[in-house]
Amino acid sequence: YVIAPFAIWFALTKIQSRCIITSSSGNQLASQTENYIRDLAALVNKHHGEQIFRIRQRYIKCNLSGSEIRLFATDEAGKAEGYHPITPVSEMAIIINEAKSVSEDIFSALKRCTGFNYWIEVSTPGEPSGHFHRSFTNPKLRFVTRRVTSYDCPHLSSDERDQDAAELGEHSAL
């Protein structure tokens, strides 16, 4: 609901932009994040009757704007750094999916990717610790945050919420 539409919008509306998307799990990245982005790119192509997006594994390029979407998963900090805007005046976004599971050294490496003007962290809840938790709860960091509760998820029934509350506790971070 957030990552795929943002990535497609970004690639369509920004000239020679770069959108870098990562997760700690290659399986999660391939089976969820990438699939949603590929599906939206394919819908754009179908709607226009031409190849607006060239779609490859973990790489999608907008032929109209010259923008690109790159996806990767790694647990090695050296493989997470080194991304920069395509040109000195291009925009760049960094998106971290399931941010609660991404290690501190990967976040540090991503921060060394200079030139980004969008930084998006998305995650389901986890233990109240780590980079994602601090990003969300430390008011000095001045991030714009959006908390989505189980009541905001139409795919969860009240029975599921009640069962989770009974099993995990009413005030559990999970």
Side-chain angles (χ1 to χ4, degrees), residues 66-127:
S67 297
E68 64 181 27
I69 301 166
R70 293 185 174 271
L71 299 100
F72 74 94
T74 185
D75 57 0
E76 296 177 45
K79 292 182 179 177
E81 60 185 30
Y83 292 102
H84 307 287
I86 294 171
T87 73
V89 295
S90 298
E91 295 192 44
M92 188 170 90
I94 295 177
I95 301 174
I96 303 98
N97 196 12
E98 291 302 340
K100 71 172 179 295
S101 301
V102 174
S103 67
E104 297 286 339
D105 59 330
I106 299 298
F107 275 106
S108 295
L110 289 169
K111 290 280 188 177
R112 291 191 294 273
C113 296
T114 58
F116 62 87
N117 55 328
Y118 291 85
W119 180 279
I120 300 171
E121 297 176 24
V122 178
S123 192
T124 53
E127 294 298 327

Side-chain angles (χ1 to χ4, degrees), residues 2-12 19 21 37 53 68-69 95:
V2 175
I3 296 172
F6 175 87
I8 294 298
W9 167 82
F10 194 71
L12 282 169
C19 185
I21 303 170
I37 296 169
F53 285 101
E68 64 181 27
I69 301 166
I95 301 174

Side-chain angles (χ1 to χ4, degrees), residues 12-115:
L12 282 169
T13 63
K14 311 293 183 181
I15 304 301
Q16 291 186 311
S17 68
R18 179 169 282 151
C19 185
I20 305 300
I21 303 170
T22 191
S23 177
S24 65
S25 163
N27 183 48
Q28 192 278 336
L29 191 71
S31 66
Q32 294 179 33
T33 310
E34 183 177 8
N35 277 348
Y36 296 128
I37 296 169
R38 292 168 66 99
D39 288 350
L40 278 178
L43 282 173
V44 170
N45 289 349
K46 182 178 178 182
H47 177 77
H48 290 282
E50 62 179 295
Q51 191 179 36
I52 305 294
F53 285 101
R54 187 180 73 202
I55 304 167
R56 302 290 183 263
Q57 184 176 10
R58 296 196 178 179
Y59 179 80
I60 298 171
K61 181 163 184 151
C62 180
N63 294 319
L64 296 179
S65 67
S67 297
E68 64 181 27
I69 301 166
R70 293 185 174 271
L71 299 100
F72 74 94
T74 185
D75 57 0
E76 296 177 45
K79 292 182 179 177
E81 60 185 30
Y83 292 102
H84 307 287
I86 294 171
T87 73
V89 295
S90 298
E91 295 192 44
M92 188 170 90
I94 295 177
I95 301 174
I96 303 98
N97 196 12
E98 291 302 340
K100 71 172 179 295
S101 301
V102 174
S103 67
E104 297 286 339
D105 59 330
I106 299 298
F107 275 106
S108 295
L110 289 169
K111 290 280 188 177
R112 291 191 294 273
C113 296
T114 58

